[in-house]
Amino acid sequence: MSRTIAGEVRRHRRARGMSAQALADRCAELGITSLPRSVIANLENGRRGNVTFAEVLVLAAALDVAPAVLVFPVGHAETVEYLPGETAAPLDALGWFNGTGRDDDSALALLLQHQNLEQRIRGHYRRIWDTAKHGETDGPEAQAAREVAEELTAQLREIRAEIRARGLVLPPSAGLDVDGE
């Protein structure tokens, strides 16, 4: 896993035209002083065999990429070792890591459903807005988008009720009129 992270750090650093010293300086600005230029060079050359989770987060921030990009090289490798001796396609391993590949009743799955519904609802309202801009406020496309948005909003209300019932932290409604909020 460290080799994968090291290779991705090198790939993203070089793609940005950033020197190892510039990366080390940026990491220090972000609060991690355990990554001077020599350590970054040792990491990239395989002489440093471990990377802490905090270091991965700071390296990602310093490189302006999502942390998962350093661990799961989607689009750059056919497989990745995501557990010792366990390999998968990078996108599958990423799904395992972030929970999107799971179908369970965990808090994560519930909140991901919430987020997905909000995005879909906003997409339908965008379609309604776009058709209204073209003067088609009551056309079949606008009406269909309205109906789907209302159905999805009802599902979102149910999920929000489940989140409340479980005593979980309720995400803000992202500007949508849900439950009179």
Side-chain angles (χ1 to χ4, degrees):
M1 208 173 275
S2 293
R3 281 191 308 272
T4 298
I5 293 167
E8 292 308 298
V9 166
R10 183 183 321 99
R11 176 194 328 278
H12 291 285
R13 180 181 62 74
R14 287 179 175 170
R16 283 156 181 71
M18 186 181 242
S19 69
Q21 183 61 56
L23 179 57
D25 292 344
R26 182 68 184 124
C27 289
E29 290 170 11
L30 292 168
I32 293 284
T33 57
S34 61
L35 291 169
R37 188 208 57 76
S38 60
V39 170
I40 290 172
N42 286 338
L43 174 67
E44 289 183 1
N45 293 322
R47 290 187 298 267
R48 184 175 193 228
N50 66 340
V51 186
T52 69
F53 189 67
E55 289 171 341
V56 170
L57 296 177
V58 170
L59 284 164
L63 292 165
D64 194 27
V65 298
V69 167
L70 299 180
V71 182
F72 307 104
V74 174
H76 296 284
E78 288 185 27
T79 61
V80 65
E81 185 176 28
Y82 66 98
L83 288 173
E86 297 289 329
T87 60
L91 197 56
D92 293 339
L94 175 60
W96 168 80
F97 180 80
N98 69 19
T100 57
R102 299 180 56 101
D103 187 24
D104 60 23
D105 66 347
S106 68
L108 176 61
L110 190 63
L111 290 159
L112 285 171
Q113 273 185 295
H114 183 283
Q115 183 181 51
N116 178 271
L117 278 170
E118 281 188 328
Q119 290 170 349
R120 290 175 60 198
I121 292 166
R122 281 193 300 274
H124 284 284
Y125 281 120
R126 255 191 308 280
R127 247 178 261 125
I128 293 166
W129 175 254
D130 288 343
T131 56
K133 285 193 306 189
H134 294 96
E136 301 171 25
T137 57
D138 294 324
E141 188 176 332
Q143 183 58 34
R146 249 189 244 90
E147 288 171 9
V148 172
E150 288 170 7
E151 182 181 317
L152 294 174
T153 300
Q155 291 175 25
L156 184 60
R157 285 186 183 113
E158 289 175 18
I159 287 177
R160 290 177 72 79
E162 177 68 19
I163 291 169
R164 281 189 199 96
R166 291 190 193 185
L168 301 172
V169 175
L170 191 65
S173 62
L176 298 173
D177 184 21
V178 182
D179 299 330
E181 297 171 19

